[in-house]
Amino acid sequence: MPIAAFHDYGADHWAAVEAILREAIADAGFDARLVSRDTASGVIHQRIINNLYEDGLVVCDVSARNPNVMFELGMRLAFDKPTIIVKDDETPFSFDISSIDHLEYPRSLRYAEMVAFRGELASRVLSTSKAAQENPDYSTFLKHLSGITPATMEVQKVSDTEFITKRLDELLFRVSMIERTTRSSMNARAYGAPYSNENALAPRNPLASSDFELLIDLVGVPLSRADELTQLLFSLRGVRAVRTIPVEGGMTLQIRASDHPEAIGALVAEILTSRNIKFSIREV
């Protein structure tokens, strides 16, 4: 589903929709998470593709026809695994997937109608899951077309030792990022951005809530990249929301996250630096 502001849909709208989708899926007895998220770290694109292939059931919200969402839905349908499509009542059907039944909800998120939608989605999750378990040939889309074979992925198995070693390497990387951020306050430059009071991460108030906010000022970055960057940053563990604020000459990203602002700031800096983006970071 979309998570960042898109067209005239705000990030808060998607957060409200996500909460309702999670509740409906929980009502059906399942745990829900975005395909871009996982308990393990790793390259976000690899994580998305793995989850699109491995997850037993995917619920996809095509409201507003977000390009990233439509691309990910296309991949899931190519694997021909159980998929439920939902959309708001203002988004028109897309021709290529119009033959797949869609569950609709009001864009206004009116309470009574959303309660009904929640019940319908929970029921659909249960029935789809049961049908897929009972019928090995269950198909959402492709098997209804003759002569087309669903796509498959080669899954590489690793030993327990290799798996633990990889996870330890990732943990050490995150620890090193925290250390680098701490040292950056004593350096002349911090992750490619000139050090100053404006881009330093300010000390936290120990009495404040565990949630914190970072403002990332991006220089010379067009708004067309907003969705790409917000989805990328939103995938970081601990990040609760990302908001795009257009400014003259670029944009500002507002991140709300929980715990370890130094670690989150360091990972954000690493991502932006790897993309040759000029930036400054400050905590508010």
Side-chain angles (χ1 to χ4, degrees):
M1 64 172 295
I3 56 176
F6 185 70
H7 292 327
D8 56 345
Y9 293 77
D12 290 345
H13 174 86
W14 299 124
V17 173
E18 181 184 348
I20 294 166
L21 295 178
R22 287 180 181 278
E23 290 170 0
I25 294 168
D27 291 344
F30 292 85
D31 292 325
R33 53 128 171 82
L34 295 171
V35 293
S36 58
R37 290 190 172 181
D38 206 336
T39 54
S41 58
V43 180
I44 181 173
H45 296 94
Q46 179 178 350
R47 185 161 65 242
I48 289 172
I49 294 172
N50 285 341
N51 290 337
L52 287 172
Y53 185 74
E54 296 288 348
D55 287 355
L57 179 64
V58 165
V59 176
C60 181
D61 189 343
V62 297
S63 302
R65 294 178 172 176
N66 180 289
N68 292 323
V69 172
M70 302 303 286
F71 176 77
E72 291 164 12
L73 172 61
M75 293 193 66
R76 177 69 177 186
L77 294 179
F79 298 140
D80 205 31
K81 298 196 173 186
T83 307
I84 298 172
I85 300 177
V86 303
K87 73 175 187 68
D88 66 33
D89 54 7
E90 293 188 15
T91 299
F93 287 89
S94 297
F95 174 78
D96 289 335
I97 58 172
S98 59
S99 61
I100 303 175
D101 189 27
H102 292 48
L103 285 181
E104 285 194 336
Y105 63 85
R107 176 175 171 175
S108 63
L109 306 185
R110 288 185 296 274
Y111 178 77
E113 293 179 56
M114 292 308 294
V115 170
F117 167 76
R118 173 176 167 176
E120 291 174 0
L121 178 56
S123 177
R124 182 68 60 86
V125 168
L126 281 172
S127 62
T128 301
S129 176
K130 182 179 179 181
Q133 291 176 6
E134 294 178 349
N135 181 9
D137 294 324
Y138 177 86
S139 173
T140 297
F141 184 60
L142 282 186
K143 290 178 183 176
H144 300 298
L145 307 175
S146 61
I148 298 180
T149 303
T152 59
M153 282 177 49
E154 180 181 352
V155 179
Q156 295 181 339
K157 294 184 178 181
V158 298
S159 66
D160 292 343
T161 301
E162 289 175 306
F163 179 82
I164 293 172
T165 300
K166 181 178 179 180
R167 291 294 173 262
L168 286 174
D169 287 342
E170 292 170 350
L171 178 61
L172 289 173
F173 171 76
R174 291 178 178 271
V175 171
S176 70
M177 292 301 299
I178 296 173
E179 293 175 344
R180 288 172 61 184
T181 305
T182 303
R183 290 197 302 268
S184 70
S185 61
M186 298 179 289
N187 294 338
R189 303 179 72 83
Y191 297 104
Y195 178 81
S196 71
N197 289 335
E198 281 142 354
N199 63 32
L201 295 177
R204 294 183 64 203
N205 178 356
L207 300 179
S209 165
S210 59
D211 275 15
F212 65 93
E213 290 188 354
L214 297 179
L215 289 180
I216 299 97
D217 297 318
L218 307 180
V219 180
V221 179
L223 283 175
S224 59
R225 296 191 64 184
D227 191 58
E228 166 205 348
L229 294 173
T230 51
Q231 294 228 29
L232 187 61
L233 298 181
F234 192 71
S235 69
L236 297 176
R237 288 189 64 186
V239 173
R240 299 183 185 276
V242 181
R243 177 188 175 203
T244 302
I245 306 173
V247 297
E248 185 176 355
M251 73 178 89
T252 295
L253 298 178
Q254 182 179 13
I255 294 179
R256 185 170 74 248
S258 60
D259 300 323
H260 307 302
E262 296 84 2
I264 295 291
L267 290 171
V268 169
E270 191 79 5
I271 289 172
L272 297 177
T273 300
S274 69
R275 286 162 173 75
N276 297 317
I277 295 176
K278 295 181 180 180
F279 64 92
S280 63
I281 302 177
R282 62 188 187 276
E283 185 178 357
V284 295

